C-alpha cells in the first residue's frame, strides 16, 4: 500500500455494494467470498451508522459460499451453485445478487455462467463481479448502480413527467439516510412530484426496474454518481441535475427546490406558495430559539455532502462562523474537489473556512487541535476525543456514528434543520 490511514472510514467496494442492496426491500445479496466478508462488509457499515439496520438480510444472515482452501485450489462454482439454490429455497426475496469477494476475484471464478443457469429457470439472479480490493465503498455505490443500469432497469418504460429519481445519498454512509430521503421526498411531493428514493417506503426491485420512466434524476451529492448519471442518460434518455450537498435549512433547501423546479419547468406560483409555507413553518420554530444558542466558531468533519450542507446551514441560516471543513472521504478528480471547495467558500454571511481533504484520523485530529478558535466540532464519533482534548462542544452527525440510535431522524431539508438545531442545544 502507498499510504497508511488511521481509522479509515467506510470499507471496500463490496461493502458499498452491500449497503445499497441491504437498503432495497426484499433483495437478497449472496456473497461468493471468504467467511469473514459478511461481518466485515455489513457489520462495519451498518454498525457504524447510528446502530441502525433495516436490511432484508444482513451481517451473518447473508448467504455466503464461505470459500476456504479447497475452493481456492479447485474453484468454487459448485459451492456457489448450491448456495444460490439454498438461498432461493429459503429466502423469500424478489431478487438475488451474487457478489464476489477478493478470493473469488483472485482465482477468477465465472459467476456469470452460474447465474445464467438460474435466470434460465426464471429466477432473478444477477452477477456483480467486483472483488473488494477494486476500490472503496464510494466506488461500490457507483458500481452497483452501473450494474442496475446494465442488468436490471428496463428500457422503453412509459415516461411520467411528474416522476423523479433521487440519487447520491448512500445508505448507512449517511447515518441519517432514511430520514433525509423521507424529508427530501416530502419536499418534492409538495411540488406535485412522484419520487423514487429506492431505499424508503418499502420500495423494491419493481421500483428499480421501472425507474427509467422518470422525467429527471436528482443527484444530492457534490461528486458521486457522475458516471452512472451519464450512462443513465445515454441508455434511457433521462437527464440529471446535481445539487452539490445535502440541502439543510431554508436557504439551501429553497435553492434546491428552485433548481428542481427550473429543470422540470414547474409552475412558479406553485413553487412560490410551497416555499412560503415551508419557510413560515421553519422560521416560526427558529424564532422561539433566538438567544438560546450562543455564537459558535465551528469545524465540520465528514463526507462531502454533509460537510457542505452543515457548513452552509450554520453559516447562512444560523450566523455561526465556519473555521474548518474537513472532507474525510477520498474524492477523485480535481473537478469534484473544486466543486466542493466552491460550495464551502461561497457563503452568504461568513468568511470561508479552511478546507482540508484527508481520510486519516491522525491528520484530522492534528488539524482540529491546531485551530485555536474552535468552540464547536460537528463530526463523527471519532471526533469526540479531539473535542474533549480541546474542551469544546461536539455534535456527532456524520459517519461513522457509533453512539446514537437513529431510525428516521433527518438533518436535511426544512424539518431536518430543526432537529440539527435541537442537537446543538442538547449537547451544550
Amino acid at each position: 500500500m502507498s499510504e497508511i490511514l488511521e481509522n479509515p472510514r467506510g470499507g471496500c467496494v463490496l461493502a458499498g455494494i452491500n449497503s445499497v442492496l441491504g437498503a432495497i426491500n426484499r433483495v437478497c445479496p449472496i456473497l461468493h467470498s471468504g467467511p469473514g466478508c459478511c461481518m466485515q462488509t455489513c457489520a462495519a457499515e451498518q454498525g457504524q451508522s447510528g446502530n441502525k439496520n433495516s436490511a432484508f438480510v444482513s451481517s451473518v444472515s447473508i448467504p455466503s459460499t464461505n470459500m476456504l482452501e479447497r475452493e481456492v485450489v479447485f474453484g468454487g462454482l459448485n459451492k456457489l451453485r448450491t448456495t444460490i439454490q439454498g438461498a432461493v429455497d429459503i429466502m423469500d426475496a424478489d431478487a438475488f445478487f451474487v457478489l464476489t469477494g477478493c478470493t473469488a476475484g483472485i482465482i477468477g471464478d465465472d459467476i456469470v455462467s452460474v447465474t445464467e443457469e438460474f435466470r434460465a429457470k426464471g429466477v432473478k439472479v444477477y452477477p456483480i463481479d467486483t472483488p473488494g480490493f477494486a476500490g472503496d465503498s464510494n466506488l461500490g455505490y457507483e458500481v452497483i448502480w452501473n450494474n442496475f443500469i446494465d442488468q436490471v432497469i428496463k428500457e422503453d418504460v412509459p415516461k411520467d413527467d411528474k416522476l423523479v429519481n433521487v440519487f447520491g445519498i448512500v445508505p448507512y454512509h449517511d447515518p441519517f439516510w432514511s430520514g433525509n430521503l423521507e424529508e427530501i421526498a416530502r419536499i418534492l411531493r409538495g411540488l406535485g412530484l412522484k419520487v423514487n428514493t429506492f431505499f424508503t417506503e418499502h420500495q423494491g426491485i419493481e421500483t428499480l426496474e421501472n425507474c427509467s420512466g422518470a422525467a429527471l434524476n436528482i443527484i444530492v451529492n457534490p461528486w458521486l454518481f457522475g458516471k452512472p448519471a451519464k450512462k443513465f442518460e445515454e441508455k434511457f434518455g433521462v437527464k440529471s441535475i446535481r445539487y452539490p450537498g445535502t440541502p439543510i435549512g431554508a436557504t439551501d433547501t429553497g435553492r434546491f427546490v428552485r433548481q428542481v423546479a427550473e429543470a422540470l419547468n414547474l409552475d412558479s406560483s406553485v413553487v412560490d406558495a410551497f416555499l412560503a409555507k415551508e419557510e413560515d413553518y421553519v422560521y416560526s420554530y427558529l424564532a422561539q430559539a433566538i438567544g438560546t444558542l450562543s455564537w459558535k466558531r465551528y469545524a465540520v468533519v465528514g463526507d462531502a455532502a454533509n460537510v457542505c450542507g452543515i457548513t452552509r446551514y450554520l453559516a447562512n441560516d444560523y450566523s455561526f462562523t465556519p473555521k474548518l471543513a474537513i472532507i474525510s472521504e477520498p474524492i477523485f478528480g480535481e473537478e469534484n474537489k473544486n466543486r466542493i471547495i466552491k460550495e464551502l467558500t461561497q457563503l452568504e454571511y461568513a468568511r470561508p473556512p479552511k478546507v482540508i481533504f484527508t481520510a486519516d484520523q491522525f491528520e484530522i485530529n492534528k488539524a482540529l487541535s491546531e485551530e485555536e478558535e474552535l468552540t464547536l466540532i460537528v463530526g463523527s464519533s471519532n471526533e469526540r476525543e479531539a473535542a474533549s482534548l480541546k474542551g469544546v462542544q461536539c455534535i456527532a452527525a456524520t459517519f461513522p456514528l457509533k453512539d446514537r440510535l437513529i431510525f428516521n431522524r433527518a438533518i436535511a431539508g426544512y424539518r431536518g434543520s430543526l432537529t440539527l438545531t435541537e442537537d446543538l442545544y442538547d449537547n451544550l
Side-chain angles (χ1 to χ4, degrees):
M1 294 178 63
S2 60
E3 186 177 7
I4 297 175
L5 300 181
E6 178 182 333
N7 287 357
R9 308 183 186 211
C12 66
V13 64
L14 186 61
I17 294 171
N18 224 18
S19 69
V20 172
L21 293 177
I24 299 175
N25 190 46
R26 296 180 57 79
V27 163
C28 178
I30 300 172
L31 299 191
H32 187 40
S33 66
C37 290
C38 286
M39 290 180 284
Q40 291 179 0
T41 60
C42 291
E45 293 290 317
Q46 297 163 4
Q48 296 182 45
S49 185
N51 295 300
K52 174 176 58 182
N53 189 336
S54 65
F56 180 67
V57 291
S58 64
S59 194
V60 293
S61 66
I62 291 179
S64 175
T65 55
N66 293 331
M67 298 177 71
L68 298 173
E69 290 87 346
R70 179 182 179 85
E71 286 72 46
V72 173
V73 175
F74 298 106
L77 293 185
N78 286 334
K79 197 170 187 180
L80 175 61
R81 192 174 287 109
T82 59
T83 301
I84 295 174
Q85 187 61 59
V88 171
D89 291 342
I90 295 171
M91 304 303 298
D92 184 25
D94 294 332
F96 301 84
F97 289 82
V98 177
L99 318 177
T100 55
C102 294
T103 306
I106 290 170
I107 67 175
D109 270 356
D110 181 14
I111 66 169
V112 175
S113 63
V114 178
T115 57
E116 285 178 347
E117 296 174 15
F118 287 88
R119 294 281 291 279
K121 300 175 185 177
V123 181
K124 291 183 179 179
V125 182
Y126 304 96
I128 302 179
D129 192 6
T130 306
F133 58 72
D136 73 341
S137 305
N138 289 315
L139 175 62
Y141 180 78
E142 298 212 349
V143 166
I144 186 63
W145 277 108
N146 279 327
N147 275 271
F148 288 157
I149 293 168
D150 291 338
Q151 301 187 67
V152 180
I153 302 174
K154 297 177 180 178
E155 297 185 69
D156 302 322
V157 174
K159 294 296 181 181
D160 185 340
D161 60 4
K162 294 296 182 181
L163 179 64
V164 296
N165 299 321
V166 177
F167 299 108
I169 296 179
V170 184
Y172 304 106
H173 266 266
D174 181 347
F176 301 95
W177 63 270
S178 48
N180 284 348
L181 284 171
E182 287 176 4
E183 170 66 359
I184 288 172
R186 184 192 70 82
I187 290 168
L188 294 172
R189 288 180 181 127
L191 301 173
L193 301 175
K194 305 172 188 176
V195 186
N196 288 333
T197 67
F198 305 103
F199 309 129
T200 62
E201 301 171 330
H202 302 298
Q203 293 182 12
I205 197 71
E206 184 177 353
T207 300
L208 196 60
E209 290 173 340
N210 294 292
C211 70
S212 58
L216 184 69
N217 291 334
I218 303 171
I219 308 168
V220 189
N221 195 290
W223 73 284
L224 274 180
F225 206 77
K227 291 181 180 178
K230 182 178 180 181
K231 195 171 186 177
F232 208 108
E233 182 174 357
E234 290 173 350
K235 186 171 183 178
F236 306 118
V238 182
K239 294 185 177 181
S240 299
I241 61 169
R242 180 184 297 279
Y243 188 81
T246 305
I248 303 174
T251 300
D252 268 24
T253 308
R255 174 185 166 206
F256 167 75
V257 167
R258 292 193 183 281
Q259 184 177 348
V260 172
E262 182 180 356
L264 292 171
N265 196 28
L266 300 181
D267 187 333
S268 59
S269 62
V270 172
V271 175
D272 291 342
F274 174 79
L275 290 174
K277 179 182 177 181
E278 291 294 316
E279 289 175 3
D280 176 70
Y281 179 90
V282 73
Y283 285 138
S284 69
Y285 282 103
L286 289 179
Q288 301 173 29
I290 293 175
T292 302
L293 294 171
S294 60
W295 172 63
K296 301 288 184 180
R297 296 179 296 274
Y298 66 94
V300 185
V301 185
D303 61 280
N306 280 322
V307 169
C308 289
I310 294 170
T311 298
R312 292 179 63 83
Y313 171 66
L314 294 180
N316 292 340
D317 290 42
Y318 229 81
S319 300
F320 287 179
T321 300
K323 302 297 293 183
L324 192 60
I326 302 177
I327 311 300
S328 61
E329 62 183 352
I331 306 296
F332 303 102
E334 287 302 312
E335 180 182 355
N336 290 326
K337 286 187 176 181
N338 290 336
R339 186 184 301 114
I340 293 166
I341 292 171
K342 180 181 177 181
E343 278 300 300
L344 292 168
T345 54
Q346 293 187 356
L347 303 173
E348 299 287 337
Y349 306 113
R351 291 181 178 179
K354 180 180 180 181
V355 181
I356 297 174
F357 294 88
T358 179
D360 187 351
Q361 192 64 47
F362 176 83
E363 295 293 335
I364 292 171
N365 290 346
K366 181 181 177 182
L368 292 172
S369 66
E370 291 176 350
E371 188 58 59
E372 297 179 355
E373 297 184 348
L374 291 181
T375 58
L376 168 66
I377 296 174
V378 182
S380 71
S381 297
N382 292 355
E383 278 66 65
R384 288 201 183 278
E385 181 181 2
S388 178
L389 291 172
K390 290 183 71 69
V392 302
Q393 182 184 1
C394 182
I395 307 296
T398 62
F399 182 89
L401 206 55
K402 306 171 186 176
D403 49 5
R404 296 183 67 178
L405 176 63
I406 298 170
F407 291 125
N408 63 341
R409 191 175 180 86
I411 64 171
Y414 293 100
R415 300 186 180 186
S417 70
L418 295 178
T419 63
L420 179 59
T421 308
E422 289 173 346
D423 284 347
L424 290 172
Y425 182 83
D426 291 343
N427 289 274
L428 285 174

